[in-house]
Amino acid sequence: MQQLANLANFTIEPALLDVLIADLGQDYGKIRPIELQIVGAQLQQDGVTTLAAYQRTGGKTALIQRYLDRVVDDCGPEHRALAELVLYLLADKSNKRPIKTRTDLEKEIELFISRGQIQLINDLEPDLDHTNQPDQPDRPTPQPANSPNSPTLRDNPAPPKNRRAEAIDLILSIFVGSGLAFHIPADLEQRYQLAHDYLAEVIHHYYVDRFGTPFEALQREKSLRNLTERELRETLVKLQAALDRETQARHEAEIAQIEAAVRSSQVLFLFDDRREALVAALNAGRRLRDVSVPLGLNFAVLDALRCAVYGAQQIDRLRGHEGWIDCLAISPAGEVLASGASDGTVRLWSLPTGQWHQLSPPCDWVEAVAFSADGRWLAVAGDRSVFVWWFDGGIDQWSFTRVKDSRLDQPLWTIRDRPDWVRSVVFSDNNRYLAIGCHDGTIDIFSLSPPPRKHDLPSASALIHSSSVPDSAIKTLAFLADHHHLALGTLDGNVLIWEFGRDRWRVIGEHEAEIVDLAIDQDGVWSSSRNGGIYRWPLDGSGLNDPDAVKYRQGEFIASFAVDPIRQYLAVGEASGTVRVWDFNGREVEQFTAHRSTVRALCFAPNGRSILSGSDDRTISLWQFVDRKPGTIVQHDRWIACIALSVMDATGFRRTVTATL
């Protein structure tokens, strides 16, 4: 301490130095630098160098109070009361120094004034005319803060808020400049704090008698206000939650309306009402602009619009079966359709006229139907039997006007008492063989002998080959082009080739689920399974080494499968009633909702551009699609921002349609 005094050229007698050390270290057993700084500065300013002079000042506490009074005095006599209040508000009763924002201080000062507990002097008010006010008391002369005659905060009315704000800014700047307080910069609002905890303790002790009672009331009021604000915040949170729930409910309602419009468009299109289907699809598209929806629903709306505007067109819908449509077969010329159902009946439909004739083989369930390549044979698999009809001249030449034709009342011949349910029947392309596959794995090959003369009936067929696939149930059969090999799919997912002349078997493909159907092309076998896998297996069996290399696609549940006769497209039927068409390169050509339930049977017309589908909804749909292959007109080096198209409208005027991407 003596060294500090020497550095400041301030000489203190040893007796005073000893007393100062004792006083400064009395409370905490050590000297606090901030306290030493305040007391030393005050001694130097007052010129106190002896013990006697120090005792006349009142000691350490009086010096610190005098330091605070000097800082308050620096704010000006007109701001004294306000400065004392600001100084007190920067401390609290727990002797802490809270951080206060500029707004916090102003609000607390306003609370003191509004409760009538504090009144500031009006010297800052420029608009008050004291000359015309009667009995105006003389303005009191400013006195030191510890003087019994010092002015109280109740003596005069407060200045206006704008003047008070300027005064508060001035006071805070003086406090910061004197080292009494810190200024903490902030982006939103300036903050202030006393320089040391020790100052908070001294200030609170010094001003507690003057501001303590009002301040306690202020704290209670602030607590009540905070409680009210908390309740308000809780209420706002609840209101916001209710608003969020209402917004979510509206959003879900909007999505439900879009989904309903899509379903309505699909149903209307299903019943040939193209105009109303388009209106419903456009309504769904309009709603998309106002609400965010899942990506799948976006695609559903686009599919509905595409289907309504230029999608696959339903040519006809055939009704009449009383059970599920389980199998379909179309005649070689595409004139006649055979359909088998779970009600045990087969219907022959004239596609050009819509006429039909019903066959009633003695069975409970029709599992498969097939026409021969020349259209003269029709095979029907029902229960454990196969029923064969003969059409002289071909089914496409048969007249549906002859509904009483006795030759259709009974099949030409019947293959009975098979070892298990017959699951598949198929003719060879040369019209010489009929293959039958049973659920127990048995496969029989029958020869077909056409009559030697026209209008004669053929003789009964003869069984020429029979074999059994070990531990496998037959699901579907298909002849290869050489007519001596048979491809077969099993319920355990295997694809096999049987050379029936030598009775040799080999596996060429494996699925993880039941085979749905097979189709043959020049070099391989197409197969589909229930779990959505579609493969093209090479005939040499090389696909077993790398199944992923021969996988065409992996989709969802497949209920039916077909490949067109021209070998350009394949189609699958789904449980949702949707039919999807792809080309052999994997490009989706068309998608349409054909039924309201599972599509169990599919077949292509000979032209390859018409699809017939049978469903659990007991109807048969005939659809025609157009393959709109995408093409590139010009190749740009960068992404395309907009396009424009010049079109001719209905009035004959040319107009330009633009779109921004």
Side-chain angles (χ1 to χ4, degrees), residues 421-435:
W421 276 65
V422 179
R423 303 299 301 269
S424 180
V425 291
V426 62
F427 292 94
S428 63
D429 289 344
N430 61 3
N431 306 306
R432 294 181 57 186
Y433 303 110
L434 170 65

Side-chain angles (χ1 to χ4, degrees), residues 348-643:
L348 301 177
W349 305 86
S350 172
L351 296 179
T353 66
Q355 294 175 299
W356 57 273
H357 184 81
Q358 182 165 303
L359 307 179
S360 299
C363 63
D364 295 325
W365 193 302
V366 175
E367 191 74 30
V369 293
F371 281 110
S372 62
D374 60 7
R376 294 193 291 178
W377 300 94
L378 171 66
V380 176
D383 300 344
R384 294 172 179 259
S385 302
V386 176
F387 311 95
V388 181
W389 276 265
W390 167 262
F391 296 90
D392 189 19
I395 184 64
D396 291 305
Q397 305 299 321
W398 184 71
S399 174
F400 277 81
T401 59
R402 296 184 299 172
V403 294
K404 298 298 184 181
D405 192 336
S406 59
R407 291 179 296 178
L408 297 182
D409 291 341
Q410 296 295 328
L412 174 65
W413 39 271
T414 301
I415 305 172
R416 300 183 183 276
D417 301 325
R418 308 319 300 153
D420 206 332
W421 276 65
V422 179
R423 303 299 301 269
S424 180
V425 291
V426 62
F427 292 94
S428 63
D429 289 344
N430 61 3
N431 306 306
R432 294 181 57 186
Y433 303 110
L434 170 65
I436 299 172
C438 298
H439 186 78
D440 67 344
T442 300
I443 303 176
D444 296 328
I445 305 293
F446 290 83
S447 65
L448 301 175
S449 301
R453 291 178 301 182
K454 190 176 182 179
H455 303 305
D456 288 348
L457 294 177
S459 58
S461 61
L463 177 64
I464 59 173
H465 296 285
S466 182
S467 186
S468 181
V469 182
D471 302 322
S472 294
I474 302 299
K475 178 62 172 67
T476 183
L477 302 173
F479 274 99
L480 269 61
D482 63 2
H483 311 131
H484 294 290
H485 292 78
L486 196 68
L488 54 107
T490 65
L491 292 182
D492 57 5
N494 290 325
V495 179
L496 302 93
I497 299 295
W498 177 38
E499 186 180 358
F500 51 83
R502 299 183 180 182
D503 198 23
R504 295 192 302 188
W505 301 90
R506 54 191 172 90
V507 178
I508 66 168
E510 294 178 345
H511 286 262
E512 297 179 354
E514 170 190 343
I515 300 295
V516 175
D517 211 341
L518 300 176
I520 308 298
D521 64 19
Q522 184 176 359
D523 302 315
V525 177
W526 288 87
S527 63
S528 62
S529 60
R530 293 292 184 199
N531 68 351
I534 300 176
Y535 291 77
R536 183 187 178 278
W537 305 100
L539 295 177
D540 60 6
S542 60
L544 289 172
N545 299 326
D546 189 5
D548 289 337
V550 297
K551 180 184 290 187
Y552 174 77
R553 69 180 299 274
Q554 180 67 46
E556 300 187 7
F557 177 85
I558 295 177
S560 52
F561 174 76
V563 176
D564 81 289
I566 308 175
R567 299 300 187 263
Q568 290 183 330
Y569 306 102
L570 55 87
V572 297
E574 300 178 349
S576 63
T578 300
V579 174
R580 301 178 187 270
V581 182
W582 292 275
D583 64 14
F584 275 23
N585 295 322
R587 179 177 59 89
E588 184 170 307
V589 175
E590 192 59 84
Q591 171 188 338
F592 50 88
T593 303
H595 297 274
R596 294 189 293 266
S597 189
T598 302
V599 180
R600 292 189 175 271
L602 278 178
C603 68
F604 279 90
N607 63 9
R609 296 299 178 87
S610 298
I611 300 177
L612 295 113
S613 58
S615 169
D616 287 357
D617 63 8
R618 305 179 183 181
T619 67
I620 300 168
S621 292
L622 172 59
W623 294 77
Q624 189 172 32
F625 68 92
V626 177
D627 185 358
R628 287 168 289 277
K629 296 181 178 180
T632 301
I633 298 175
V634 63
Q635 182 68 45
H636 290 273
D637 294 331
R638 302 184 66 182
W639 59 277
I640 300 171
C642 58
I643 58 175

Side-chain angles (χ1 to χ4, degrees), residues 121-401:
I121 62 176
N122 59 3
D123 288 9
L124 299 178
E125 177 56 62
D127 298 328
L128 292 178
D129 186 0
H130 301 291
T131 58
N132 297 326
Q133 296 182 15
D135 301 326
Q136 179 69 23
D138 293 336
R139 183 177 303 166
T141 302
Q143 300 291 333
N146 56 352
S147 170
N149 298 321
S150 62
T152 66
L153 296 177
R154 299 175 179 270
D155 290 339
N156 294 292
K161 290 184 180 180
N162 58 339
R163 303 288 291 168
R164 188 188 311 142
E166 294 176 0
I168 293 173
D169 291 336
L170 175 63
I171 292 168
L172 290 172
S173 65
I174 292 174
F175 285 177
V176 172
S178 66
L180 188 61
F182 292 142
H183 171 222
I184 305 174
D187 293 336
L188 298 179
E189 190 169 5
Q190 305 303 312
R191 296 175 295 171
Y192 297 89
Q193 185 183 30
L194 287 176
H196 199 276
D197 289 340
Y198 170 72
L199 294 175
E201 178 183 352
V202 173
I203 291 170
H204 185 268
H205 177 73
Y206 186 33
Y207 291 110
V208 68
D209 293 337
R210 183 177 305 177
F211 300 118
T213 303
F215 190 71
E216 297 300 327
L218 174 64
Q219 293 297 93
R220 289 194 298 272
E221 187 170 335
K222 285 180 61 179
S223 299
L224 292 174
R225 184 182 64 184
N226 290 337
L227 178 62
T228 304
E229 290 177 352
R230 185 173 66 252
E231 294 174 347
L232 178 60
R233 285 194 298 270
E234 292 174 354
T235 302
L236 290 176
V237 169
K238 293 179 181 178
L239 290 175
Q240 184 62 43
L243 181 60
D244 292 341
R245 289 194 297 270
E246 182 180 355
T247 302
Q248 181 65 23
R250 286 200 303 266
H251 183 258
E252 293 174 354
E254 288 283 352
I255 290 179
Q257 289 176 350
I258 294 173
E259 292 174 341
V262 171
R263 288 194 296 270
S264 176
S265 177
Q266 292 171 342
V267 171
L268 290 167
F269 187 71
L270 199 62
F271 287 96
D272 300 327
D273 196 341
R274 296 284 297 277
R275 186 179 68 85
E276 292 301 323
L278 177 58
V279 171
L282 288 173
N283 183 44
R286 178 182 58 81
R287 292 181 179 275
L288 283 180
R289 297 178 303 178
D290 304 324
V291 62
S292 175
V293 301
L295 186 61
L297 185 54
N298 264 302
F299 288 148
V301 173
L302 292 176
D303 286 340
L305 284 167
R306 181 184 63 179
C307 193
V309 175
Y310 57 85
Q313 182 178 3
Q314 184 178 3
I315 305 302
D316 201 357
R317 180 170 292 273
L318 308 177
R319 297 176 174 85
H321 278 290
E322 296 180 359
W324 298 345
I325 311 298
D326 242 17
C327 50
L328 296 174
I330 195 165
S331 63
E335 298 284 330
V336 179
L337 175 71
S339 60
S342 61
D343 60 3
T345 64
V346 175
R347 284 201 177 193
L348 301 177
W349 305 86
S350 172
L351 296 179
T353 66
Q355 294 175 299
W356 57 273
H357 184 81
Q358 182 165 303
L359 307 179
S360 299
C363 63
D364 295 325
W365 193 302
V366 175
E367 191 74 30
V369 293
F371 281 110
S372 62
D374 60 7
R376 294 193 291 178
W377 300 94
L378 171 66
V380 176
D383 300 344
R384 294 172 179 259
S385 302
V386 176
F387 311 95
V388 181
W389 276 265
W390 167 262
F391 296 90
D392 189 19
I395 184 64
D396 291 305
Q397 305 299 321
W398 184 71
S399 174
F400 277 81
T401 59

